[in-house]
Amino acid sequence: MNSVVSRVNAVFAFTLSVLAGLTVCCFLSTAFNDYRTKVDINTVRVLVKNLPDYGVSKEKNDLGYVTFDVKADLRPLFNWNTKQLFIYLTAEYETKANTLNQVVLWDKIIQRGENANLEYKNINTKYYFWDDGNGLKGHQNVTLRLSWNVIPNAGNLADVFGIGSHAFTFPNEYTTNRI
């Protein structure tokens, strides 16, 4: 005859096995979804200043100032296994010192139940657009990309790039006016 502790242990182990199996089924039901969608990005105002970055050194570095528009319908990305989306806008460009520079300019968290239809106009960057030198002035090819992480209830954390990007040029002269 089995003791009470042995029976409770068997029920507990069976319950954990069933929950693990259900979690795997939850993951597999949404694992192969395509989380990409069309994104429209446009720059409204682009400036560059040459300022000392006191956080790193006292040398003058380029500070980019970008105002942008974003339009994307992210509502189809939400399903029963999506808890939230972490959205971020990056600027990508090349300089002589680095073949790939990526700077996060803006981010937002959208939780399930919130409005996921993005239509933002004249948005300022949330984070500073510093270059580690003077690589922004007159730069001909800076590309803005909107990306997101799909944070599920169960499964992999997907890192997705939106379909569409926007390339712009920084001015050839530094701005001396206050921004």
Side-chain angles (χ1 to χ4, degrees):
M1 193 89 186
N2 294 332
S3 68
V4 172
V5 173
S6 176
R7 290 179 184 180
V8 169
N9 185 31
V11 169
F12 183 71
F14 177 73
T15 304
L16 284 180
S17 298
V18 169
L19 289 175
L22 287 174
T23 302
V24 168
C25 290
C26 290
F27 160 68
L28 290 175
S29 70
T30 59
F32 304 107
N33 288 356
D34 185 14
Y35 288 107
R36 294 178 301 160
T37 189
K38 187 176 182 323
V39 173
D40 291 322
I41 306 169
N42 191 21
T43 52
V44 178
R45 183 175 171 204
V46 178
L47 302 172
V48 64
K49 292 188 94 163
N50 193 256
L51 301 170
D53 183 7
Y54 294 112
V56 178
S57 67
K58 294 184 179 168
E59 295 177 16
K60 287 192 170 187
N61 294 326
D62 285 354
L63 173 64
Y65 181 80
V66 180
T67 304
F68 59 93
D69 298 337
V70 174
K71 185 175 181 181
D73 186 9
L74 304 178
R75 292 176 293 189
L77 304 181
F78 280 92
N79 55 45
W80 67 273
N81 194 26
T82 303
K83 188 185 301 183
Q84 66 186 18
L85 297 175
F86 177 72
I87 304 163
Y88 54 98
L89 182 78
T90 56
E92 298 177 356
Y93 61 101
E94 268 186 47
T95 58
K96 292 176 185 172
N98 301 307
T99 56
L100 178 63
N101 295 287
Q102 291 181 318
V103 180
V104 175
L105 300 178
W106 176 84
D107 64 15
K108 181 175 177 58
I109 296 174
I110 300 176
Q111 295 185 350
R112 182 189 319 203
E114 292 181 2
N115 184 14
N117 188 17
L118 304 179
E119 287 192 35
Y120 295 129
K121 301 253 185 222
N122 295 326
I123 299 294
N124 293 323
T125 58
K126 191 174 182 181
Y127 306 107
Y128 289 116
F129 190 172
W130 284 107
D131 182 59
D132 59 348
N134 298 322
L136 294 181
K137 177 181 147 184
H139 199 289
Q140 299 294 316
N141 189 18
V142 179
T143 304
L144 295 178
R145 295 186 194 283
L146 190 69
S147 306
W148 49 85
N149 295 114
V150 179
I151 300 168
N153 292 314
N156 290 338
L157 180 70
D159 189 18
V160 183
F161 297 100
I163 300 171
S165 61
H166 175 71
F168 67 94
T169 302
F170 273 107
N172 291 324
E173 298 296 323
Y174 290 119
T175 301
T176 56
N177 297 339
R178 186 178 174 109
I179 299 176

